[in-house]
Amino acid sequence: MSRILLLLLLPLVVLSAMPAAEPPATPKGETLTPEWASAFAKLALKGAKKEFPNKPGHVLLDDKDTKTPKALHPAFYGCYDWHSAVHGHWMLVRVLRAHPTLPQAKDIRAVLAEHLTAANIKTEVEYFNRPEAKSFERPYGWAWLLKLAEELHTWDDPDAKTWAENLRPLAELIANRYIEYFPKQTYPIRAGVHSNTAFGLTFAHDYAKATGNKKLQELIEERAKAYYGKDADAPARWEPDGADFLSPSLCEADLMRRVLPPAEFAAWFHRYLPGAVKGEPANLFGPATVTDRTDPQLVHLDGLNLSRAWCLRGIITALPKDDPARKALAASAAKHAEAGLKHVSSGDYAGEHWLASFAVWMLSLPAPE
């Protein structure tokens, strides 16, 4: 009996003594590699034409307004909500532009060609012109729409030129909404979610510079300085809130590095986050913890880790090479990138419909040296 038992156990002993199989290679969280681009494209393609579930920010005046998401927004109806659909399309453009030979290239072009038609964008413009839609997607969805327009405008590709021209009426409408609205917004909104003013101005500034819209650029620079120019000792120790996907303090710094000259920005930054040299406050410099990735609010914190990483990467580029805060900022950026990239594909739609866009923008920025 003992011989039989020994023979049965022998294979297990041999297997346990063998070296463990190497895990499959994964891309490093430094740049937008073809592997990352392909993985993220799959997620965006899965959501781009997925009309339901959907969370419309739609004001109903009567029963005639009860329309499906696709009827209301034929260009941007997928991915759960309008802004996620918009930045999902931006992400598809960005990954295709970065890696034109992706396996998903044909599918990406097909989706963009189907959605970004002149007729579809005309319907989107008509929706924004409804009196009840004056504040629709302000400013988060506005910002991503302008980021999509910027991406198409700066891409030397025949299809992109067509899509950019089709999108232009909506982009110009949104740009004018900025010019009309922000002089009336006396105080900035410092939330860690869609209403954040600094984030809303950041992508709009990028668009304004890329397209030569001086009026928009000047407005944003004036508003940014008025809102944030005198800020000092930011209360970053209070971050994060329980459902943040943006860091109020880091989004503000990411905007100010765009609108201030380098030397002026460095001085402002050290007044604003005086503990940055030491990596303080610790809860800002360390990644957020996510306890439930099936909860649409709690999973926001995965996005926070990615958006913190992109802000930190951007801030570093605006500081002198010998700035004493660079080391702590770079270490924090790496930690946040690693934490966020692990969970872009969680298997649950609560995060998968939007996190890839955050990952792509983060990986599009230079990793700290």
Side-chain angles (χ1 to χ4, degrees):
M1 181 71 179
S2 60
R3 284 185 67 187
I4 294 172
L5 183 60
L6 180 61
L7 288 171
L8 290 171
L9 290 175
L10 186 58
L12 297 177
V13 174
V14 172
L15 285 172
S16 65
M18 292 174 65
E22 288 294 321
T26 55
K28 293 182 178 180
E30 296 176 355
T31 60
L32 183 60
T33 64
E35 294 87 355
W36 280 128
S38 181
F40 297 147
K42 290 177 184 176
L43 291 176
L45 288 169
K46 184 169 67 173
K49 299 173 73 170
K50 184 179 174 68
E51 187 173 6
F52 301 103
N54 201 292
K55 184 182 178 184
H58 180 52
V59 177
L60 299 170
L61 295 182
D62 54 41
D63 58 358
K64 295 178 183 177
D65 282 335
T66 56
K67 298 179 180 179
T68 65
K70 190 173 182 179
L72 292 169
H73 301 291
F76 305 116
Y77 61 84
C79 287
Y80 191 64
D81 47 37
W82 192 86
H83 53 257
S84 297
V86 170
H87 60 67
H89 284 70
W90 166 82
M91 193 205 76
L92 290 173
V93 174
R94 171 58 71 118
V95 298
L96 181 61
R97 184 178 178 183
H99 300 288
T101 59
L102 280 181
Q104 297 80 22
K106 183 177 179 181
D107 291 337
I108 291 173
R109 288 187 183 273
V111 165
L112 294 173
E114 179 182 343
H115 290 181
L116 301 183
T117 66
N120 285 349
I121 299 304
K122 182 175 183 290
T123 301
E124 298 281 356
V125 168
E126 290 170 353
Y127 185 88
F128 270 86
N129 280 328
R130 287 164 45 106
E132 300 76 29
K134 184 177 289 188
S135 62
F136 178 68
E137 291 287 350
R138 185 179 71 204
Y140 183 75
W142 292 9
W144 277 111
L145 190 284
L146 294 185
K147 181 57 71 178
L148 171 60
E150 175 199 348
E151 197 72 42
L152 291 170
H153 176 81
T154 55
W155 186 16
D156 186 14
D157 175 270
D159 287 338
K161 293 181 186 301
T162 298
W163 300 327
E165 182 60 25
N166 291 346
L167 189 63
R168 185 173 56 81
L170 182 57
E172 290 180 351
L173 181 151
I174 295 297
N176 287 332
R177 288 281 167 94
Y178 272 89
I179 293 167
E180 293 166 4
Y181 172 72
F182 277 98
K184 297 186 288 188
Q185 184 179 299
T186 306
Y187 311 105
I189 298 172
R190 302 176 186 269
V193 290
H194 308 86
S195 55
N196 183 277
T197 299
F199 175 79
L201 296 180
T202 293
F203 280 2
H205 189 265
D206 292 347
Y207 165 86
K209 289 188 70 175
T211 60
N213 189 330
K214 295 295 184 183
K215 188 173 183 180
L216 178 60
Q217 181 180 340
E218 290 170 3
L219 169 76
I220 292 168
E221 291 174 359
E222 182 277 325
R223 288 286 77 201
K225 293 171 186 177
Y227 288 146
Y228 310 116
K230 295 181 180 179
D231 284 0
D233 196 14
R237 62 190 180 279
W238 295 346
E239 295 185 32
D241 280 354
D244 280 356
F245 59 84
L246 299 170
S247 163
S249 57
L250 293 180
C251 279
E252 179 176 332
D254 195 34
L255 171 64
M256 295 303 281
R257 61 108 174 167
R258 286 167 162 85
V259 305
L260 296 177
E264 193 175 333
F265 171 72
W268 176 91
F269 180 75
H270 285 286
R271 292 193 302 270
Y272 179 66
L273 286 176
V277 174
K278 298 179 181 179
E280 296 175 351
N283 53 308
L284 179 69
F285 279 75
T289 299
V290 183
T291 57
D292 183 357
R293 290 186 168 85
T294 68
D295 186 290
Q297 295 296 310
L298 295 177
V299 78
H300 276 184
L301 294 166
D302 276 328
L304 175 67
N305 288 332
L306 292 166
S307 66
R308 280 183 174 183
W310 85 48
C311 288
L312 290 161
R313 286 185 174 200
I315 291 164
I316 290 168
T317 66
L319 294 174
K321 293 288 186 182
D322 60 350
D323 191 286
R326 286 178 67 101
K327 184 177 180 181
L329 294 171
S332 179
K335 290 177 184 176
H336 279 93
E338 181 181 12
L341 286 169
K342 285 180 180 178
H343 302 292
V344 172
S345 182
S346 65
D348 193 281
Y349 194 57
E352 284 193 346
H353 78 271
W354 64 280
L355 284 170
S357 301
F358 274 44
V360 169
W361 179 242
M362 187 273 292
L363 291 171
S364 299
L365 299 172
E369 298 177 359

